[in-house]
């Protein structure tokens, strides 16, 4: 019996689990179990502890005997979560224009939420980064920040 890969998707700030980006990614990954996390609550982005709980809940709904690999995929702030929690859970991750430092989103979040993001920040990566995809048309997260953070030239 063939085992199925699982993609757990983390949307960006202001995005949703049912966004066009999530739908396109899902469509372009046939044969994959695709789980999109909802990282927004009624009052904006959810806390990092709630993100952690939702990741655990999502993983617990997967029959791991039928899974070949779980991969986190994150865009922008979702990329930040995919990296941080990918390293915490030893899950490979794919990042698309990721936030690498919480200060990059300080103009878009409350000071309390920024402090929450900083509380889980790691300035180093040792986890299983699979791909780093950068676009130069992102008006919030410059690609140079990720290139520098991941030391790609």
């Amino acid at each position: 019996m063939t085992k199925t890969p699982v993609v757990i998707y983390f949307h960006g700030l202001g995005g949703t689990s049912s966004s066009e980006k999530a739908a396109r990614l899902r469509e372009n990954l046939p044969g994959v179990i695709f789980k999109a996390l909802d990282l927004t609550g009624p009052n904006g982005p959810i806390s990092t502890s709630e993100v952690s709980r939702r990741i655990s809940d999502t993983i617990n709904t997967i029959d791991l005997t039928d899974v070949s690999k779980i991969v986190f995929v994150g865009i922008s702030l979702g990329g930040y979560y995919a990296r941080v929690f990918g390293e915490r859970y030893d899950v490979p991750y794919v990042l698309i224009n990721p936030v690498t430092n919480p200060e990059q989103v300080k103009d878009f979040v409350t000071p309390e939420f920024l402090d929450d993001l900083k509380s889980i920040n790691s300035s180093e990566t040792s986890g299983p980064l699979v791909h780093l995809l950068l676009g130069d048309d992102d008006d919030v997260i410059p690609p140079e920040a990720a290139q520098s953070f991941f030391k790609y030239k």
Side-chain angles (χ1 to χ4, degrees), residues 90-109:
D90 195 28
V91 171
Y93 47 89
V94 174
L95 309 179
I96 304 165
N97 285 2
V99 167
T100 55
N101 180 332
E103 289 292 325
Q104 293 171 301
V105 296
K106 70 179 180 187
D107 293 337
F108 307 100
V109 298

Side-chain angles (χ1 to χ4, degrees), residues 82-142:
R83 177 184 61 83
V84 169
F85 289 106
E87 292 188 7
R88 185 174 292 175
Y89 292 114
D90 195 28
V91 171
Y93 47 89
V94 174
L95 309 179
I96 304 165
N97 285 2
V99 167
T100 55
N101 180 332
E103 289 292 325
Q104 293 171 301
V105 296
K106 70 179 180 187
D107 293 337
F108 307 100
V109 298
T110 65
E112 296 79 19
F113 184 72
L114 184 62
D115 288 344
D116 189 27
L117 287 177
K118 288 178 180 179
S119 75
I120 63 167
N121 192 28
S122 170
S123 61
E124 297 182 15
T125 60
S126 58
L129 173 65
V130 177
H131 288 287
L132 175 65
L133 306 170
L134 302 173
D136 58 4
D137 63 345
D138 191 319
D139 54 352
V140 176
I141 308 301

